[in-house]
Amino acid sequence: LFPDEAGFDKVWLKGDKNNGILAQGKVVSSGDTFTLDGTQNVGIKNSATGTTSTDDKFEVNGDNSKNIGFYQTGASASGAFTHSTFDIAKNIAYDGVRDESDGILATGGDITTAYHYVSSTHHGDTTFNIWGYGNNGIRFQGGTGSSIDATFNVHGTYNNGLLLNDSNSNAKVLNSTFDLDGTYGNGFHLKDDDGTSTITASGFTVNGSNNNGVFINSGKTLAKIAKSTFDIDSSSSNYNNGIFLEDGATITSIEGDTLGTADSNWLYTSNSSFDVNNAGVGILAGNGSGAQATVNVKKTVIDVNDTNGKTTSGSGTGTGVYLYNGNVTLGDAVQIKGNGSDILAVINQNPTTTA
């Protein structure tokens, strides 16, 4: 632990299985830098109530390292973040072996991240920049995220912005931004939770290749997506999805607030919306022949004007809703828009849709 030129502390960990700070009582960290090299090292290990991080930087380095920026344990623990930055596996190239590092890992307690404004030159979200292979911005292996307002930039391969992976966990995501440009990544990955997680007023920009804004594993339920936007394949053409539900997965409701007034692109900003381009898919429901994926949609606009769904060669793939094995209910004030050369919805294998 040593101060930098500005007087803030720097923690640099090498070797194996070390903690920069072991927080068994409340810790207030501000403007500090945690650099994690080696393997299985932790910047802050927290089991206390009221620990905070403001304007900190966590450099979670190492190839195949299993390092963790902030690791929280204990049912009563809490960690709150404002305007801190997590750089995970930066400049680590794909080598076929998972790095398995996390910006934040919670096995108990509650995690919150909040927008921070000090001045016109000092403001913004807590940000997670994720590279490498098999890494996560935030992973809930227990505990909750009662308010997640953050920015997730998902690069690399098989990475997640936010991963829920415990039947007792849930997250309330609001005003967050997910930007994907890697391969086989997910912005919000619901692998397991208690069925009460929600996404509100958040934006997903999905480029790269074989990425998903929201991915829900088989048999799991996302309670709601409200007033959120999905921009798919606007700068790529590589089979990305706004939302992908495996067989038996459910989204109880995708919904907006009110139709309001359309902008120049025919999108209603107070609604949930999907702007689908090139080979992208807005909602992909189901992936096999098991129980059908289920989605209920209302007050939502799906714009497929710039997809390549209908081509002279018949090889286009872009569409608004792709029913591979799903039951999608299109309810009140759902609009799907194309230009006459687009495919608004695809029915591939034994699904059912109701409008």
Side-chain angles (χ1 to χ4, degrees):
L1 181 69
F2 54 94
D4 62 15
E5 292 180 357
F8 298 114
D9 288 327
K10 299 187 72 173
V11 177
W12 187 12
L13 299 178
K14 295 185 177 182
D16 303 319
K17 301 180 180 179
N18 300 302
N19 299 310
I21 297 175
L22 181 60
Q24 296 176 323
K26 174 181 174 181
V27 168
V28 176
S29 179
S30 180
D32 302 324
T33 298
F34 300 84
T35 301
L36 311 180
D37 293 321
T39 59
Q40 299 182 63
N41 291 315
V42 177
I44 300 175
K45 186 174 182 180
N46 180 54
S47 58
T49 302
T51 291
T52 63
S53 166
T54 304
D55 291 324
D56 289 335
K57 185 169 186 179
F58 295 83
E59 298 172 339
V60 186
N61 300 325
D63 189 10
N64 322 132
S65 60
K66 300 182 180 180
N67 288 324
I68 304 167
F70 184 92
Y71 179 23
Q72 181 164 286
T73 64
S76 63
S78 64
F81 298 83
T82 51
H83 204 235
S84 290
T85 300
F86 293 80
D87 287 339
I88 303 156
K90 188 173 183 178
N91 299 322
I92 299 298
Y94 174 79
D95 63 1
V97 180
R98 289 179 177 270
D99 304 318
E100 297 183 8
S101 290
D102 302 286
I104 296 173
L105 169 59
T107 60
D110 187 52
I111 296 291
T112 61
T113 64
Y115 184 83
H116 185 52
Y117 185 91
V118 175
S119 68
S120 60
T121 58
H122 184 180
H123 62 91
D125 285 336
T126 287
T127 300
F128 299 85
N129 301 307
I130 308 146
W131 293 270
Y133 174 40
N135 301 307
N136 307 290
I138 304 176
R139 174 161 62 108
F140 290 98
Q141 205 70 39
T144 60
S146 64
S147 179
I148 303 297
D149 178 350
T151 295
F152 300 87
N153 298 310
V154 185
H155 315 290
T157 304
Y158 286 105
N159 295 323
N160 300 295
L162 188 153
L163 171 64
L164 285 160
N165 195 28
D166 186 86
S167 61
N168 296 310
S169 292
N170 65 72
K172 303 295 187 287
V173 176
L174 69 162
N175 301 322
S176 289
T177 300
F178 297 82
D179 195 333
L180 297 93
D181 63 6
T183 57
Y184 298 101
N186 305 295
F188 178 97
H189 183 179
L190 198 168
K191 192 171 183 179
D192 198 6
D193 81 337
D194 65 7
T196 66
S197 296
T198 58
I199 300 170
T200 304
S202 295
F204 296 80
T205 301
V206 190
N207 290 298
S209 176
N210 295 286
N211 293 311
N212 306 293
V214 174
F215 179 50
I216 305 175
N217 277 78
S218 178
K220 303 306 174 183
T221 297
L222 177 62
K224 182 185 290 186
I225 297 176
K227 294 184 287 186
S228 294
T229 61
F230 295 82
D231 184 341
I232 305 121
D233 263 354
S234 59
S235 63
S236 63
S237 56
N238 294 302
Y239 312 109
N240 297 299
N241 305 301
I243 298 172
F244 179 16
L245 300 93
E246 289 189 329
D247 286 356
T250 298
I251 299 178
T252 304
S253 177
I254 299 174
E255 62 186 66
D257 183 16
T258 177
L259 275 179
T261 303
D263 66 12
S264 60
N265 294 315
W266 203 85
L267 295 176
Y268 295 85
T269 55
S270 58
N271 262 25
S272 286
S273 65
F274 295 79
D275 186 2
V276 190
N277 304 277
N278 298 309
V281 174
I283 301 171
L284 173 57
N287 65 324
S289 57
Q292 290 185 336
T294 303
V295 186
N296 297 294
V297 187
K298 59 184 179 180
K299 294 181 181 177
T300 295
V301 176
I302 303 172
D303 186 342
V304 298
N305 188 66
D306 295 316
T307 60
N308 64 6
K310 183 179 178 181
T311 66
T312 55
S313 65
S315 61
T317 57
T319 189
V321 178
Y322 195 116
L323 291 163
Y324 193 91
N325 183 32
N327 185 325
V328 176
T329 300
L330 305 179
D332 177 49
V334 174
Q335 302 185 43
I336 306 180
K337 175 181 181 289
N339 62 11
S341 298
D342 300 305
I343 296 176
L344 307 185
V346 172
I347 299 175
N348 189 322
Q349 178 184 313
N350 212 19
T352 302
T353 182
T354 29

